[in-house]
Structures are given as C-alpha cells and as structure tokens.
C-alpha cells in the first residue's frame, strides 16, 4: 500500500489544470484515479490503492445501480509533460475549486481541497490530536 504525506498549495488555472507535486507524482504512477471525496474535497488514488477501495465498495454494494453510480463519478487521470493534471469540470464544481488549492497527503490517498474549505476544516482548527495512543512506538 502506498502512503502519501505532506501539504502543498497551488493554483488551478483557467483550463482546470493543477500542478501535481513531484513527491506525489512518482507515487501516483502513470495513471491514477480522481473521485468525489468526503466534506467536499476530491480523493486521488494510485491504481494499487484504488483497486482496494473499489473491491471494498463492490463487496458492500452489489446492486448494479450502486456500482454504476460509484464508478461513473471516478475519472482516470494522467499528468502532462509540465506536471499538471486536468480535472474534470464535474469534479471542479463538486469541490468548489476556484483558484487556490490545497493538495494534501492523506495516508492511502491524496486529497484536493479548495483552500478556503481546507483552512476552515484544518488550518484554522485549534484542536490538538494525541497520536501517541494510536501508534505502537
């Protein structure tokens, strides 16, 4: 399983292109998958991790209609020669992406956030989390 960490801030251009940081680009591979995520962000998975997510979804949602709805919202993506991915208009609208964007490593996926939503949800949040209980050091 591939793990993503770190925070990056970039601008979405007028053609819905977004720079993908090199450290993520190498891990995402040649083709990767973008889909609507939680709380109005986009989830980005390398093939290896997406296959796990897709299998888990199909195991719990066996109706063809459910599977069609899920997979129809997923876009296969690649990075161009300048290190950018072109986002589908439906994904840009879903995530309310305008210009400033946060590209965040979130464990088994990358998340793409509108900067204003990311600030409210994470940067302006003074809550401290104690990770020490969850990790066997």
């Amino acid at each position: 399983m591939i793990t993503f960490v770190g925070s990056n801030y970039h601008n979405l251009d007028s053609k819905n292109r977004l720079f993908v940081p090199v450290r993520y680009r190498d891990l995402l591979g040649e083709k990767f998958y973008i889909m609507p995520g939680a709380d109005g962000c986009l989830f980005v998975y390398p093939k290896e991790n997406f296959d796990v997510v897709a299998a888990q979804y199909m195991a719990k949602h066996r109706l063809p209609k459910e599977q069609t709805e899920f997979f129809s919202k997923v876009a296969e993506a690649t990075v161009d020669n300048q290190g950018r991915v072109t986002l589908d208009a439906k994904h840009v609208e879903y995530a309310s992406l305008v210009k400033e964007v946060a590209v965040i490593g979130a464990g088994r996926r990358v998340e793409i956030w509108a900067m204003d939503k990311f600030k409210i949800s994470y940067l302006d949040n003074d809550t401290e989390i104690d990770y020490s209980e969850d990790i066997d050091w």
Side-chain angles (χ1 to χ4, degrees):
M1 184 80 65
I2 298 169
T3 303
F4 297 89
V5 298
S7 302
N8 306 271
Y9 308 102
H10 298 284
N11 289 324
L12 186 69
D13 72 14
S14 61
K15 296 181 180 177
N16 293 342
R17 295 177 301 196
L18 178 66
F19 181 77
V20 178
V22 174
R23 64 180 167 177
Y24 297 158
R25 219 180 304 155
D26 294 341
L27 294 172
L28 286 169
E30 189 174 321
K31 291 184 181 178
F32 49 93
Y33 299 89
I34 302 174
M35 62 185 290
D39 300 322
C41 75
L42 298 176
F43 288 168
V44 183
Y45 290 99
K47 181 178 180 353
E48 175 185 333
N49 294 11
F50 181 75
D51 288 346
V52 172
V53 170
Q56 290 172 345
Y57 186 86
M58 289 188 301
K60 292 180 181 178
H61 303 274
R62 298 185 185 274
L63 295 175
K65 182 179 179 180
E66 293 173 320
Q67 292 182 10
T68 299
E69 183 178 341
F70 177 82
F71 288 103
S72 69
K73 295 177 181 176
V74 177
E76 186 176 80
T78 59
V79 174
D80 67 15
N81 292 335
Q82 295 181 6
R84 302 169 302 185
V85 61
T86 301
L87 301 175
D88 286 354
K90 65 183 177 185
H91 288 151
V92 171
E93 182 179 346
Y94 170 82
S96 303
L97 303 177
V98 179
K99 184 154 179 90
E100 294 180 323
V101 176
V103 182
I104 307 299
R108 67 179 180 185
R109 67 179 175 262
V110 172
E111 294 180 356
I112 299 173
W113 287 84
M115 184 57 82
D116 58 342
K117 284 185 185 179
F118 184 71
K119 282 181 181 179
I120 291 168
S121 296
Y122 294 98
L123 297 181
D124 294 343
N125 187 343
D126 291 335
T127 304
E128 290 190 26
I129 300 172
D130 181 5
Y131 301 104
S132 61
E133 295 178 13
D134 300 325
I135 300 173
D136 186 13
W137 300 97

